[in-house]
Amino acid sequence: MKNSIRLVTCLFFVLLSSCTTQEGTIKKLALELGEKKFQEQLKIEADDSIKQSEWLNKSYQEFMLKKSEVEVVEVKFLTETKATAVVVVNTYPPSLRMTLARIAGGMDPGRSRSFNFAEAVNGIGKQIGKTPETLEHPLIMYKFNKTSAGTWVVEF
C-alpha cells in the first residue's frame, strides 16, 4: 500500500513538473514573439509620424520600450498538443503615443536632438488634465501546436 501511494505521488509530481515546464516554454516563446510584435508596432508608429529625423525616430522607439513592459498573462492548454498564450503590454494609451509621435514628427530636424520625450508626455498630461500612466493593453493571443518531436511552434 505504501509503495502504491509513493508511486502515485511520484507520478503526480512528474506530471506537474512536465506541465509547468511546458507552460514555461510556451510563456518564453510567447514573450519573445510579443516583444518583437510590440517593437514592430512602435516602428510603424514612428515611421508614420517621425520622418524628418532618423535619430528622433529611433529615440521615440527606445523611449516607448523603456516605458513599456510586455508580459504573458495566461497560458491555457486546450489539449496535450494545443495551447494558447495571451500577451499584453503595459504602456501608454495608443492615443497618447500617437500624439507624442505627431509632436516629435513636427520638430525641426535641426532641433530634433533637443526634444525631450518625458517632458512632452508631461505636457500632454497637463493638456488632458491628468497624469499619463501606463495601462495594460491587449497585444495578441498566440496559438501553439506541439510537434511530433515535442517542441511547441506558433500556429500562423
Side-chain angles (χ1 to χ4, degrees):
M1 183 68 170
K2 285 183 180 181
N3 286 339
S4 296
I5 292 173
R6 287 182 186 156
L7 179 63
V8 169
T9 304
C10 284
L11 285 174
F12 172 75
F13 284 112
V14 166
L15 288 172
L16 181 64
S17 69
S18 171
C19 286
T20 58
T21 300
Q22 289 184 45
E23 182 178 349
T25 300
I26 291 171
K27 267 188 170 181
K28 182 179 177 187
L29 286 169
L31 183 62
E32 289 172 3
L33 291 168
E35 287 174 341
K36 185 176 180 180
K37 178 165 182 59
F38 185 60
Q39 288 171 358
E40 290 169 357
Q41 190 175 331
L42 290 175
K43 181 170 178 13
I44 290 168
E45 288 175 14
D47 289 348
D48 286 348
S49 298
I50 309 171
K51 300 175 183 176
Q52 82 282 18
S53 167
E54 187 174 326
W55 182 87
L56 197 58
N57 182 304
K58 297 281 187 225
S59 295
Y60 168 81
Q61 293 176 59
E62 290 171 7
F63 175 80
M64 291 310 304
L65 285 172
K66 286 180 188 173
K67 297 292 183 178
S68 305
E69 181 183 6
V70 177
E71 64 180 306
V72 179
V73 292
E74 179 184 40
V75 172
K76 185 185 265 184
F77 290 93
L78 307 174
T79 67
E80 287 185 23
T81 59
K82 292 190 180 291
T84 60
V86 177
V87 183
V88 298
V89 61
N90 293 302
T91 188
Y92 291 119
S95 59
L96 186 139
R97 292 197 323 259
M98 290 294 140
T99 301
L100 184 61
R102 279 195 306 272
I103 292 169
M107 285 292 298
D108 179 86
R111 300 186 64 212
S112 63
R113 292 195 183 259
S114 65
F115 188 78
N116 186 314
F117 286 99
E119 286 179 10
V121 166
N122 289 333
I124 294 168
K126 287 178 183 174
Q127 286 182 349
I128 61 173
K130 64 180 189 176
T131 305
E133 297 177 11
T134 60
L135 303 169
E136 184 176 286
H137 300 278
L139 185 61
I140 193 166
M141 182 177 79
Y142 289 109
K143 294 179 181 179
F144 290 91
N145 292 316
K146 191 173 188 179
T147 65
S148 58
T151 58
W152 289 93
V153 294
V154 176
E155 181 181 302
F156 288 103

